[in-house]
Amino acid sequence: MAALIAATLPTEAQQVKYSIDGISKENGKTVYLRDRLTRSIVDSTVVANGKFSMSGNADKNAFMGVSTKDAMWSVMLFNDGTPVTINLNDSTLKGSPQNERLTRYDIDINAPYSNFMMKIQTMSEEERKSKELELAGGLMIAMMKMMEGVEKVFKDERETMIPVAFFSEYRSYLGQAKLDSVLATKPVWASHPIVQESLREKAYQKALEERKNAFVGKQFIDLEEADPDGKMHKLSEYVGKGKWVLVDFWASWCGPCKAEMPNVVAAYEKYHDKGFDIVGLSFDNKKEPWVKDIAELKMPWTHLSDLKGWNTVASEVYGVNSIPDNLLIDPQGKIVARGLRAKALHDKLKEVFGE
């Protein structure tokens, strides 16, 4: 995915000079300048006598952060060519009007949550437990205030790059539909590489989901893999033979798959005698852990794998790009649902078989 996105990014970005001076009480600690798009370290220096300094060239308007290695807070800035002075003791910045406003927005937006957490830290464990409902309400209020702050940024800063700093929060808080309506107005910040990368990734994920969902309502596609004894079997030996079949995509190395397996086992035990079966198609690379987990997780159904990991034929045929995943196939071999997990699996089987 990273390679795909990188291939679509501009290869010739305009370079401008950055010049960063700062103060910090953490003498001897390394200060890092990080690019928030590539997540790479652009520059670093050591605090000496309470001061530090960095300079060099980076992409114009690159969104960057300055912090020490283990700091909880990073002072954000855009590389707009104006020198900046940073105080890591109070997370403030002096520089261009854009970067100064960015710093103020960042502090103000995070203040409700920071203040709420500071309040909690002063409370004893007993006091926290006795005020759980009150604290839950307080957290909700803090998050709402943060959301209001983010909305203000996107309303007031259409002609600057500042909204880029809060792009993911805006999408998380207010949803893709509202973000799309803002992007339709063609704000200046929409051209920033961070926004463009995010939109490409979203479009890519949407295309993958559409491909996966396109199988629902269609007849299953046959494939052939080996059982744990090495004997080859076709999927058609089990599917379309008068039973409801869950084709389950999983792997022994997949934590979420193994966490979901007790739920799948429970569904099998409840509905197997009513005409429900399962075929597990593993994305494992090695036989030993695959066979070991079949036994340890007590999965009594048919298991097949070509032991090719993500290059398995099952991934290619059914567009599986993440696991756990599954297909529910009716007695005639038509795929009726996909990605049934947790309660959704039981709800669908209850719909088919009743209690």
Side-chain angles (χ1 to χ4, degrees), residues 5-23:
I5 291 171
T8 63
L9 293 175
T11 57
E12 295 289 339
Q14 181 183 350
Q15 297 274 297
V16 297
K17 183 178 180 179
Y18 63 83
S19 178
I20 301 170
D21 292 313
I23 60 172

Side-chain angles (χ1 to χ4, degrees), residues 179-196:
L179 176 61
D180 288 342
S181 68
V182 174
L183 289 169
T185 66
K186 301 188 186 312
V188 168
W189 52 264
S191 64
H192 194 279
I194 283 182
V195 175
Q196 291 300 307

Side-chain angles (χ1 to χ4, degrees), residues 115-185:
N115 293 338
F116 176 79
M117 294 307 296
M118 288 176 62
K119 176 182 176 182
I120 288 181
Q121 289 168 6
T122 63
M123 300 169 66
S124 66
E125 186 66 27
E126 294 77 12
E127 189 177 5
R128 285 191 207 125
K129 288 183 177 179
S130 68
K131 296 183 177 181
E132 280 187 357
L133 288 177
E134 179 185 332
L135 292 174
L139 177 59
M140 183 175 294
I141 291 172
M143 298 303 289
M144 289 178 64
K145 288 181 178 178
M146 291 177 70
M147 181 177 68
E148 291 171 0
V150 171
E151 277 198 284
K152 178 175 172 57
V153 170
F154 279 72
K155 179 182 177 181
D156 295 347
E157 299 290 344
R158 280 182 43 81
E159 303 304 317
T160 74
M161 291 295 167
I162 292 175
V164 172
F166 307 99
F167 183 77
S168 61
E169 287 84 354
Y170 189 89
R171 172 182 276 164
S172 298
Y173 289 148
L174 300 166
Q176 187 65 41
K178 190 157 186 177
L179 176 61
D180 288 342
S181 68
V182 174
L183 289 169
T185 66

Side-chain angles (χ1 to χ4, degrees), residues 31-95:
V31 176
Y32 295 94
L33 174 66
R34 289 184 172 88
D35 187 302
R36 301 288 285 267
L37 171 62
T38 63
R39 298 174 180 83
S40 62
I41 296 173
V42 178
D43 204 345
S44 65
T45 189
V46 176
V47 179
N49 299 318
K51 297 180 180 180
F52 63 90
S53 180
M54 291 180 281
S55 63
N57 293 306
D59 291 349
K60 182 179 181 180
N61 286 324
F63 181 42
M64 304 192 288
V66 177
S67 67
T68 52
K69 182 178 180 180
D70 300 317
M72 297 294 291
W73 189 275
S74 174
V75 177
M76 302 187 297
L77 62 104
F78 289 98
N79 186 33
D80 56 14
T82 301
V84 298
T85 301
I86 293 175
N87 184 340
L88 287 182
N89 300 323
D90 62 9
S91 301
T92 56
L93 175 151
K94 295 293 183 183

